[in-house]
Amino acid sequence: MGQYAGLLLDSIVSGVLVGGFYAAMAVGISIAFGMLGISNIAHPALILLGSFIAYVLNSQFGLDPILVGLLATVPFYFLGTLLYTAYEFAFERRGTQLIRGLAFFFGLLFITEVGLQLIFGVDYRLVEAPYIGPSYNIGPVSLPVRMLIPFLASVLLLVGLQIFFARTFTGRAIMAVAQDKFALQLMGAAPVRIKRIAFGLSTATASLAGAFLIILQPVEPSMGRDYIGRIFAICVLGGIGSLPGTFIAAVIVGVAESITATFYGPSWSPAIAFGFLLIALVVRPAGLFGRA
């Protein structure tokens, strides 16, 4: 009985830490999909791009992966603004963003993936950092530092974004742009400019999430597809556009996957996110923190 209790506690702690990482992956989708109505299914591929940038600068120059992720947020932000400019010009102006816009991001997903495969091949790549090996042991619970640091950094990321959205004019404009463009214009804000900033922020989070990913595990170019369904499910479960909801939903999914993998095997864990999604859609379609 004591052994099972220890396994359960350890799997819960591990699930919470992994959930923090899931939140960092999902926050970009929460902004793009939840606040702007843009189904950016290429976001996981951009996360992998961030992982490989961290890999190159770590292996060639010895830079810390998280430092690389922070520095790369600036070029990723401008990449996001360029992507939204192309998306708005080609699809939103013509009212064809629903299907053709989705195809645009499908194409971006595969172009990014194939480009990474041509450059790096299909082998798994990893990084080196002093915190990847050590762990803190608190009683029966083990806290790997390589999981603890991304969790804490993810919390800081979400708290910082939540403060930005709640306390600044631009942040409040981003939250309002999908609800009432006309009212936003009366306040002196240009909806297209606000959306461009928001999508830039959404894309910038991918560089940090990519750094976290390669710290947690080795990466290869096609593995981003494994996370598409999971992070969309987290966004819907937490409530479309709700950052606190995204974090809580990510932790719930992380804990559920960890417990399932510990006691029933890892092959069952991918179905957990979709199981919670189906239950949420039946019981509370708006999600945990969504508006009913």
Side-chain angles (χ1 to χ4, degrees):
M1 185 66 179
Q3 180 182 1
Y4 285 110
L7 281 174
L8 177 61
L9 183 59
D10 197 57
S11 63
I12 289 173
V13 172
S14 177
V16 170
L17 297 179
V18 171
F21 161 66
Y22 285 169
M25 295 188 77
V27 66
I29 294 292
S30 184
I31 296 171
F33 181 50
M35 298 181 185
L36 306 179
I38 300 175
S39 299
N40 180 15
I41 59 173
H43 192 74
L46 297 176
I47 291 173
L48 261 295
L49 177 61
S51 294
F52 278 97
I53 291 174
Y55 162 73
V56 169
L57 294 181
N58 177 262
S59 61
Q60 297 296 320
F61 305 103
L63 295 181
D64 182 85
I66 294 181
L67 175 61
V68 174
L70 283 170
L71 295 175
T73 56
V74 176
F76 268 65
Y77 171 83
F78 288 108
L79 172 63
T81 61
L82 290 174
L83 289 175
Y84 176 74
T85 298
Y87 175 85
E88 189 272 335
F89 177 79
F91 307 112
E92 282 193 346
R93 290 187 186 182
R94 305 174 187 180
T96 59
Q97 67 267 31
L98 186 60
I99 300 299
R100 295 180 183 178
L102 191 61
F104 170 79
F105 287 112
F106 258 120
L108 180 61
L109 167 69
F110 287 113
I111 288 172
T112 305
E113 182 180 308
V114 170
L116 290 174
Q117 287 178 341
L118 290 174
I119 296 171
F120 298 101
V122 295
D123 295 331
Y124 282 87
R125 307 298 175 113
L126 49 81
V127 293
E128 296 181 359
Y131 48 78
I132 288 181
S135 297
Y136 294 122
N137 294 315
I138 304 174
V141 177
S142 177
L143 294 174
V145 182
R146 67 181 177 87
M147 297 175 70
L148 183 61
I149 290 179
F151 172 82
L152 295 175
S154 298
V155 171
L156 290 176
L157 172 64
L158 267 75
V159 169
L161 285 172
Q162 182 64 22
I163 292 173
F164 170 75
F165 288 129
R167 301 286 181 85
T168 67
F169 175 81
T170 302
R172 291 193 293 269
I174 290 172
M175 297 179 70
V177 70
Q179 300 175 21
D180 195 332
K181 292 183 180 179
F182 181 69
L184 193 61
Q185 289 174 318
L186 293 177
M187 295 172 62
V192 172
R193 175 179 173 274
I194 293 299
K195 281 191 169 187
R196 187 182 298 117
I197 293 171
F199 200 81
L201 287 174
S202 167
T203 306
T205 66
S207 69
L208 273 173
F212 299 158
L213 175 61
I214 200 168
I215 288 170
L216 291 175
Q217 64 181 89
V219 301
E220 56 89 15
S222 65
M223 68 185 295
R225 285 177 285 174
D226 298 337
Y227 291 98
I228 293 175
R230 180 183 284 115
I231 60 181
F232 269 95
I234 286 170
C235 291
V236 175
L237 176 62
I240 299 297
S242 170
L243 298 191
T246 296
F247 179 78
I248 292 174
V251 170
I252 290 172
V253 169
V255 170
E257 285 187 351
S258 180
I259 292 174
T260 302
T262 299
F263 292 98
Y264 299 100
S267 59
W268 285 97
S269 58
I272 293 300
F274 296 101
F276 275 110
L277 175 60
L278 292 175
I279 293 172
L281 290 175
V282 172
V283 177
R284 185 173 170 80
L288 297 175
F289 283 74
R291 296 179 180 179

